Amino acid sequence: MKAIVHTKFGPPDLLELKEVAKPTPKEEEVLVKVHAASLNAFDWHILRAKPFLVRLAGFGFLKPKHKIPGVDIAGRVEAVGRNAKQFQPNDEVYGDLSGCGLGAFAEYVCAPENLLALKPANLSFEEAAAVPMAAVTALQGLRDKGKIQPGQKVLIHGASGGVGTFLVQIAKSFGAEVTCVCSTRNVDIARSIGADHVIDYTKEDFTQNGQRYDLIVGANGDRSLSDYKRALNPKGIYVMSGGSMAQIFSALLLGPWMSMTGSKKMATVAAKPSQRDLVVMRELLETGKVKPVIDRRYTLSEVAEAIRYLEEGHAQGKVVITV
Ligand SMILES: NC(=O)c1ccc[n+]([C@@H]2O[C@H](COP(=O)([O-])OP(=O)(O)OC[C@H]3O[C@@H](n4cnc5c(N)ncnc54)[C@H](OP(=O)(O)O)[C@@H]3O)[C@@H](O)[C@H]2O)c1
């Protein structure tokens, strides 16, 4: 089969499209013919081993542990392992392989069946591949860390990227009043996915306009923790989902301390792949409450170019690989 092969940490140029052996499913795995994959910031962190912690987190210390990168897939089950009971050949599935050896950027991949779910019936493979990691991060950030409630005022900072476009729609599905913060060129996207209010960060500073929120999620936030804290209502919650390294480390290190010194909570979300949450997402997608926003499509041989584009940090929704 054809696959993108990753043998050295470094820039996307090191990735090669090669002919490799087609995998065989272990007892509790299924073999999936990949029809589409999607990119996440996770991919370039693993590719470059940045931050250095990647090397200590099981992805290889001196060289990549997993030869074929990529986490989000949508495809068709081709074969099932002896003890795999949940799926049958021809089932259409989707999932996030970040917890089980990666391998999405290939024509076939084996995955434990408990990390996959049936693909939403109304979505194409490309649309379904856009969902797993970004949408489950958004769901777990809003529901589990943000304790989102109907009627709450929720602000999404960085609403136009892969995670942000899911955050907005999932927050709306919970009945929240959603304010998006994005740049001028993304204002229309934010409105089209259901934002009640849009703040163009090139014209207005959401921390200085007197508005206060019950929940703020920073998908691509670039403000200090104290700025976010100031923009919260009493008992409000800030959830850091992504952003710069400084952003991430300050939320991890200072967030717990700031949460102890007042009624406002400063939390972080590190999403976990979850079959249960893929099923929750399937319902939201099949009822039309959430629709993936796809920015660009690339082919398998163009994965390096696609990652270079994502790394620029200005994707408008998700970047998809058609296999
Ligand atoms: N916690 C987790 O488990 C988890 C899971 C997945 C991803 N993440 C992290 O979440 C972050 C976002 O991921 P993503 O897939 O959404 O990234 P992405 O698709 O690359 O985000 C790009 C978008 O962010 C916007 N943006 C960039 N800087 C901004 C700023 N300062 N203010 C407002 N918007 C800004 C860009 O619009 P403009 O260029 O027009 O501003 C663009 O539309 C990454 O840091 C990623 O590592 C975390």
Side-chain angles (χ1 to χ4, degrees):
M1 67 167 187
K2 287 195 172 56
I4 292 294
V5 176
H6 179 213
T7 49
K8 245 192 204 171
F9 290 127
D13 319 47
L14 295 174
L15 294 176
E16 289 176 283
L17 181 68
K18 283 193 168 171
E19 205 58 50
V20 301
K22 187 172 160 183
T24 312
K26 296 193 190 114
E27 290 188 347
E28 268 142 34
E29 288 183 341
V30 298
L31 172 68
V32 180
K33 179 169 171 42
V34 181
H35 285 261
S38 81
L39 299 191
N40 294 279
F42 179 94
D43 298 318
W44 64 258
H45 287 300
I46 301 297
L47 190 69
R48 293 182 180 272
K50 279 191 179 164
F52 190 79
L53 281 178
V54 163
R55 295 177 192 253
L56 306 176
F59 295 99
F61 190 73
L62 296 175
K63 60 179 189 163
K65 178 171 169 194
H66 305 297
K67 202 166 126 192
I68 304 174
V71 297
D72 278 343
I73 57 156
R76 202 181 289 278
V77 173
E78 182 154 300
V80 298
R82 201 152 40 112
N83 296 336
K85 306 281 182 236
Q86 298 184 36
F87 301 103
Q88 295 178 346
N90 271 329
D91 281 348
E92 295 182 352
V93 294
Y94 74 145
D96 164 2
L97 312 183
S98 59
C100 69
L102 321 185
F105 302 150
E107 290 179 315
Y108 294 89
V109 68
C110 287
E113 62 170 358
N114 61 6
L115 287 181
L116 300 173
L118 288 175
K119 161 185 153 305
N122 59 330
L123 297 194
S124 66
F125 285 111
E126 282 85 0
E127 288 173 319
V131 174
M133 180 180 269
V136 168
T137 301
L139 177 65
Q140 293 180 357
L142 289 163
R143 181 195 61 196
D144 305 343
K145 298 293 179 163
K147 317 281 181 213
I148 190 168
Q149 298 295 326
Q152 278 190 329
K153 289 178 73 175
V154 175
L155 179 127
I156 309 297
H157 190 191
S160 52
V163 178
T165 48
F166 283 113
L167 279 167
V168 176
Q169 299 179 75
I170 296 170
K172 285 298 299 174
S173 79
F174 276 98
E177 180 186 328
V178 178
T179 300
C180 289
V181 180
C182 60
S183 67
T184 314
R185 71 193 189 108
N186 290 316
V187 167
D188 288 345
I189 293 180
R191 292 222 169 90
S192 74
I193 56 176
D196 297 293
H197 315 281
V198 183
I199 296 176
D200 178 344
Y201 69 73
T202 66
K203 298 186 179 144
E204 187 182 338
D205 180 346
F206 73 89
T207 67
Q208 300 293 338
N209 64 6
Q211 295 292 319
R212 295 291 177 264
Y213 301 92
D214 302 305
L215 171 60
I216 298 177
V217 184
N220 250 329
D222 61 350
R223 305 304 299 254
S224 68
L225 276 190
S226 41
D227 280 348
Y228 288 120
K229 191 171 181 181
R230 198 167 348 103
L232 287 172
N233 278 324
K235 298 197 177 166
I237 301 178
Y238 162 69
V239 180
M240 190 283 299
S241 159
S244 65
M245 283 306 136
Q247 195 86 36
I248 292 167
F249 286 116
S250 72
L252 286 170
L253 299 173
L254 299 178
W257 177 79
M258 284 172 87
S259 299
M260 283 189 276
T261 57
S263 65
K264 302 175 184 180
K265 293 276 169 282
M266 313 301 283
T268 59
V269 59
K272 291 187 187 61
S274 157
Q275 186 184 53
R276 192 177 59 101
D277 286 342
L278 288 173
V279 173
V280 173
M281 282 313 307
R282 186 172 75 221
E283 282 165 24
L284 290 174
L285 291 153
E286 286 183 342
T287 51
K289 290 182 180 155
V290 174
K291 194 168 171 13
V293 178
I294 295 182
D295 176 0
R296 293 190 182 183
R297 291 171 167 83
Y298 293 83
T299 62
L300 193 56
S301 62
E302 296 170 329
V303 164
E305 192 183 332
I307 293 178
R308 275 193 290 272
Y309 173 65
L310 188 74
E311 273 190 298
E312 288 168 13
H314 302 294
Q316 297 175 290
K318 290 283 299 180
V319 176
V320 166
I321 307 296
T322 304
V323 179

